[in-house]
Every structure is written in C-alpha cells, then in structure tokens.
Amino acid sequence: MDRLDQLESQSLFILREAYARLEPLSMLWSLGKDSNVMVWLARKAFFGRVPFPVVLLDTGNELDEVYAFRDEYVETWGLSYINADCPALEETDPTLPLNSRHAARKTLGLKRIIADQGFRGIFLGIRRDEQAVRGKERVFSPRDESGTWDYKDQPAEFWDQYKTEIRPGAHLRIHPLLAWTEVDIWRYIQRERIPVVPLYFARDGWRYRSLGEKDITRPIRSQAGTIEEIIAELETTRQPERAGRTMDHDSEDAFERLRASGYM
C-alpha cells in the first residue's frame, strides 16, 4: 500500500464514521481541487453516490469557469445540491480588513445554512499544509452554537479515536483531507483522473493555484499546463499555495480572526 492508498483509506474511514454518527450531514463544495477530491472520495465511500447534500457558499462572485463546472458536475455526479447565497459585504465585521470582509461573507452564509437546515456535521476539504492556522485543526472539530472555534480547547485525537458527541445547537466540522498535502491532491487527481476546473492549467504564462472569488483571488505566474507539470512545479517551488489569495496578505491576525469566528 503506497501513500495515496493510505490517505484514501483513512479518508474513507472518516467519511463513513461521520455518516454513522451524525445526522443531518452536508459537505461544502467550493469546486476547487480539494473539494472535488473530497466528493470523489465520498462517492467511493458510499458506492457511487453521495448520500447527503453538497453546499456551495455562493457570493455571486465566483469565477465563470467555476459556475460552468458546477452546472456540469451536479448532473454528471448525481449530487443533491444546495446553493447557499451569502449575505452582503455590509453585514460583515467592519473591523476586518476589506479582503477579509469579502471572505467573511462565506462565514455568514455558512452560519445561515446551518441554522436553516440544522446540520450537525459538515465536511470540509481543508488541509493542514494550506495555511498555518489550519495546521491547528482536528479531524472532527467542534463548533459552538454560534459557530466559533476555540483552537485552544480541542479534543485529543489519538489512534483515530474521534469525539463525535456535541451539545444541542452545536455542530462538528469534519476534515477528511487534513493529512493530505497539495502534491498528494494532484497525484491523486492524476491517478484517479478526477475532473478539475481548467483554470488550474496555465494559459499565457498564468494559472490559478488556489480558486476563490473574483475580488480576492489572482493567478500566479506559471508555465504548468498539465497535471505532470503542476506536480513538477510544486516539488520545487517555495511560493505559498495561497499566494494569489489577497485576504492572506491582510494583517497578520486577520485569517486567525476569520477562522475563530467560523470561516472554513
């Protein structure tokens, strides 16, 4: 069994463990490379279908190619799909930097859909190597009734023993890809031939390494036009994965404030 086999096996176990213990469940689907891998794994875990809804937190400002991909693969993969509209910028915390306020719209949209649907568990496709604050996450991560995250008070997860009990009104964020790296994701996409948004592949010397909204995401300089070339690029680059996300260049504690308040 190689590394990808081990990661896949661990993620399938997490997906099935959450499905057995939490109801109702949903899965956030940003349509980026990580969440597409997560949907792919869910289809494997449950024999070709995803037995809970997938949710796009929609600011109305996603890239056009992202919406086109959604329209094709909701039908192709037979997904139960929820389009969760996010509140306006004016409803976000005015003390946050502007780029972070755009991102905070998704936090509010997530809290709204949880309140509307009563979800007790939500799958997210984040990884520990994406960003330093995400490195503090647990696989089963508790959120209180207001959706906030206390990273200083989290249950230990020894030997794949997960705490799934939650208080009424609270919920768990479940992270099946937490142990994966960016290169693992691309190698798995290559092995499984998982479809991704074409924006990841270079055109005229530019490509998107991380997908977000039009306002707060920029392409990076790259000549990687194939999966093989992306993997080769990642094996040598020292540029952070989220270099094209303008919110990550806000004040030092902005992203931690976003995550503590419920951001993904």
Side-chain angles (χ1 to χ4, degrees):
M1 179 179 286
D2 65 16
R3 175 172 170 79
L4 289 183
D5 292 331
Q6 292 174 346
L7 290 169
E8 179 189 73
S9 178
Q10 181 187 43
S11 297
L12 297 184
F13 173 79
I14 293 166
L15 286 157
R16 290 168 176 159
E17 182 77 358
Y19 184 67
R21 296 181 180 277
L22 296 165
E23 186 182 12
L25 273 173
S26 65
M27 173 177 283
L28 293 192
W29 186 35
S30 71
L31 294 108
K33 60 187 185 300
D34 305 297
S35 67
N36 282 349
V37 165
M38 188 168 57
V39 171
W40 190 268
L41 289 165
R43 295 174 73 232
K44 277 200 171 186
F46 303 108
F47 308 103
R49 71 184 187 94
V50 180
F52 35 74
V54 299
V55 179
L56 172 65
L57 300 174
D58 189 3
T59 62
N61 207 27
E62 303 292 340
L63 295 155
D64 295 341
E65 292 86 347
V66 170
Y67 286 124
F69 188 93
R70 173 199 61 183
D71 294 342
E72 178 176 356
Y73 282 95
V74 164
E75 181 175 351
T76 300
W77 287 342
L79 302 174
S80 172
Y81 173 74
I82 297 175
N83 201 83
D85 295 327
C86 296
L89 186 69
E90 291 72 21
E91 296 184 42
T92 61
D93 180 356
T95 68
L96 284 169
L98 180 59
N99 292 322
S100 296
R101 291 187 66 188
H102 283 285
R105 293 181 61 198
K106 293 207 169 188
T107 306
L108 298 179
L110 178 57
K111 290 182 179 181
R112 182 176 291 178
I113 195 68
I114 290 171
D116 290 347
Q117 300 285 337
F119 293 130
R120 298 181 70 237
I122 300 175
F123 295 106
L124 293 88
I126 68 168
R127 295 177 280 106
R128 285 198 177 101
D129 76 328
E130 272 182 285
Q131 210 277 341
V133 178
R134 286 177 172 164
K136 301 174 183 176
E137 272 288 5
R138 299 289 190 268
V139 175
F140 282 70
S141 182
R143 295 296 194 273
D144 68 14
E145 293 80 351
S146 64
T148 57
W149 176 48
D150 183 357
Y151 67 87
K152 295 180 180 177
D153 183 20
Q154 301 184 85
E157 293 184 329
F158 297 126
W159 306 292
D160 293 338
Q161 300 296 310
Y162 303 122
K163 182 178 179 182
T164 56
E165 296 81 16
I166 52 174
R167 298 191 303 269
H171 71 276
L172 286 175
R173 306 278 177 93
I174 306 128
H175 305 125
L177 304 182
L178 211 53
W180 296 56
T181 68
E182 186 182 8
V183 172
D184 293 330
I185 291 292
W186 279 110
R187 287 178 177 150
Y188 192 70
I189 288 170
Q190 180 186 46
R191 187 182 89 171
E192 300 287 313
R193 300 183 179 181
I194 301 172
V196 293
V197 176
L199 291 170
Y200 285 115
F201 302 107
R203 286 181 294 185
D204 301 323
W206 296 88
R207 75 177 187 90
Y208 285 84
R209 188 168 161 192
S210 177
L211 295 181
E213 297 80 59
K214 292 176 183 175
D215 292 340
I216 54 174
T217 311
R218 301 288 180 269
I220 61 166
R221 284 208 171 273
S222 172
Q223 299 297 329
T226 66
I227 294 178
E228 290 77 8
E229 291 170 350
I230 289 173
I231 292 171
E233 180 182 87
L234 295 179
E235 288 174 336
T236 59
T237 186
R238 299 179 66 85
Q239 187 179 49
E241 179 178 357
R242 293 172 62 92
R245 297 289 195 105
T246 58
M247 56 185 279
D248 284 42
H249 302 287
D250 279 342
S251 59
E252 187 175 344
D253 69 338
F255 195 77
E256 186 161 328
R257 287 176 61 194
L258 279 174
R259 296 223 74 233
S261 67
Y263 187 72
M264 292 63 69

